[in-house]
């Protein structure tokens, strides 16, 4: 499958059309951003690692009954995906307090939550992805009630599947962000990527951070951390 026209370029990925109307190619870049893109850099081979990690995780999720946009991996940096209209909401699930939740509520990072916490953030960089709830989503016609229910059910199920999977490779899934889209105007499916850019992963036995916080907080050994996640995910 060949790329034709570039239709979108984001911070970490580029999306191209193909000759097939319902299929797109998602290209993974090495660019990294944090804090609303005020911090910029590149992580060597991040695109290659995230393409492989995401592909593997989407395959695991599909096998467990979660519909995703993943079709197949094409090469080191490209994945064939179903064309969706992205719902402009980032769904975050948190199992352990870190990052934004720690800052917003003055809680210590590492605090285990009694149950997973689901948050919605409106996808809008200039507004700093504000926290919203289901009423905003419904009232602003961002998604219907049925769609919200589907998104919520899939998100919690993804959390169960990935928590179990990461645990089997000695990683704690602290929190993560998902994006969903409408395929052919009707079906809600999981889209975007799932990688150390979008998940916090701490090594169970040592607490070592194997995710984008190494870039956000200048912790060093960023490439090594992503490589380690890829190595474990590929086992
Ligand atoms: N996240 C993401 N994209 C964003 C914001 C957050 O993928 O634009 C991920 C982030 O990597 C983490 C989870 O969502 O795994 C929760 O992030 P948080 O809200 O704590 O924000 P941050 O601390 O990254 O500002």
């Amino acid at each position: 499958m060949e790329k034709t026209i570039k239709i979108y370029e984001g911070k970490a990925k580029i999306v191209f059309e193909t000759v097939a109307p319902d299929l797109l190619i998602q290209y993974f870049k090495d660019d990294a951003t944090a804090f609303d893109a005020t911090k910029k850099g590149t992580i060597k081979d991040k695109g290659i690692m995230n393409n492989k990690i995401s592909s593997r995780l989407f395959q695991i999720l599909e096998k467990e009954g979660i519909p995703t946009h993943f079709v197949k991996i094409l090469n080191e940096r490209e994945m064939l995906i179903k064309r969706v209209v992205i719902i402009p909401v980032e769904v975050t699930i948190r199992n352990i307090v870190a990052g934004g939740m720690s800052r917003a509520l003055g809680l210590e990072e590492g605090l285990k939550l009694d149950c997973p916490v689901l948050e919605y953030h409106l996808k809008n960089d200039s507004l700093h992805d504000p926290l919203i709830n289901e009423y905003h989503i419904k009232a602003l016609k961002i998604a219907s009630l049925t769609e919200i229910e589907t998104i919520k059910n899939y998100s919690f199920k993804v959390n169960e599947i990935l928590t179990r999977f990461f645990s089997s490779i000695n990683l704690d899934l602290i929190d993560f962000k998902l994006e969903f889209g409408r395929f052919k105007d009707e079906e809600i499916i999981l889209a975007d990527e799932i990688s150390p850019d979008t998940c916090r992963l701490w090594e169970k036995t040592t607490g070592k951070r194997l995710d984008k916080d190494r870039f956000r907080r200048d912790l060093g050994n960023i490439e090594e951390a992503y490589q380690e996640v890829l190595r474990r995910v590929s086992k």
Side-chain angles (χ1 to χ4, degrees):
M1 188 70 70
E2 291 292 315
K3 308 192 273 288
T4 56
I5 304 158
K6 173 162 125 180
I7 53 166
Y8 166 83
E9 177 154 8
K11 288 169 276 186
K13 297 183 294 291
I14 310 175
V15 179
F16 298 89
E17 286 190 327
T18 68
V19 287
D22 289 330
L23 295 177
L24 302 173
I25 289 175
Q26 171 159 264
Y27 175 98
F28 287 76
K29 304 194 282 186
D30 287 348
D31 297 345
T33 59
F35 313 120
D36 293 320
T38 51
K39 181 178 174 120
K40 291 195 177 88
T42 57
I43 301 172
K44 189 175 173 290
D45 294 339
K46 174 170 81 80
I48 297 173
M49 299 186 278
N50 281 358
N51 185 29
K52 291 180 183 169
I53 294 168
S54 253
S55 293
R56 173 86 175 101
L57 297 177
F58 280 137
Q59 277 171 318
I60 290 170
L61 292 172
E62 283 277 354
K63 224 165 142 188
E64 299 272 349
I66 305 287
T68 79
H69 72 162
F70 177 77
V71 178
K72 63 175 177 179
I73 189 159
L74 293 173
N75 54 53
E76 277 199 320
R77 286 183 185 270
E78 291 174 349
M79 176 193 284
L80 188 66
I81 57 171
K82 293 178 184 165
R83 181 182 210 130
V84 296
V85 175
I86 292 283
I87 295 167
V89 170
E90 298 190 342
V91 182
T92 304
I93 297 226
R94 303 176 185 276
N95 297 305
I96 291 177
V97 172
M101 184 176 194
S102 154
R103 288 192 301 273
L105 302 181
L107 297 167
E108 194 145 337
E109 288 202 307
L111 176 72
K112 168 123 184 50
L113 294 160
D114 247 16
C115 64
V117 170
L118 181 142
E119 287 173 5
Y120 302 105
H121 292 259
L122 185 67
K123 258 173 82 75
N124 186 318
D125 279 343
S126 54
L127 296 175
H128 315 292
D129 296 344
L131 184 68
I132 55 172
N133 65 37
E134 290 177 5
Y135 290 92
H136 296 92
I137 297 176
K138 189 169 174 287
L140 297 169
K141 295 195 174 77
I142 297 168
S144 70
L145 256 189
T146 324
E147 288 176 327
I148 299 169
E149 284 307 311
T150 305
I151 288 171
K152 205 162 42 177
N153 288 337
Y154 285 158
S155 300
F156 282 123
K157 199 161 166 220
V158 167
N159 186 41
E160 281 173 29
I161 299 163
L162 292 187
T163 297
R164 207 178 330 120
F165 172 69
F166 281 122
S167 184
S168 75
I169 52 173
N170 195 30
L171 295 172
D172 273 328
L173 178 60
I174 306 302
D175 58 28
F176 59 96
K177 183 266 296 179
L178 300 175
E179 293 185 26
F180 291 87
R182 284 183 200 101
F183 179 56
K184 295 191 169 172
D185 237 20
E186 45 189 37
E187 196 196 357
I188 294 284
I189 65 176
L190 183 60
D192 195 49
E193 67 173 291
I194 311 175
S195 71
D197 273 11
T198 64
C199 300
R200 282 196 173 89
L201 299 165
W202 295 358
E203 187 166 55
K204 273 181 176 293
T205 39
T206 63
K208 186 174 175 194
R209 292 166 191 259
L210 296 175
D211 55 55
K212 198 170 149 190
D213 273 346
R214 302 205 76 79
F215 169 77
R216 294 189 188 100
R217 304 177 187 192
D218 297 317
L219 300 177
N221 299 106
I222 309 171
E223 290 92 352
E224 290 79 357
Y226 280 64
Q227 288 289 3
E228 184 54 29
V229 173
L230 173 60
R231 194 183 66 76
R232 292 189 197 186
V233 160
S234 312
K235 268 203 292 207

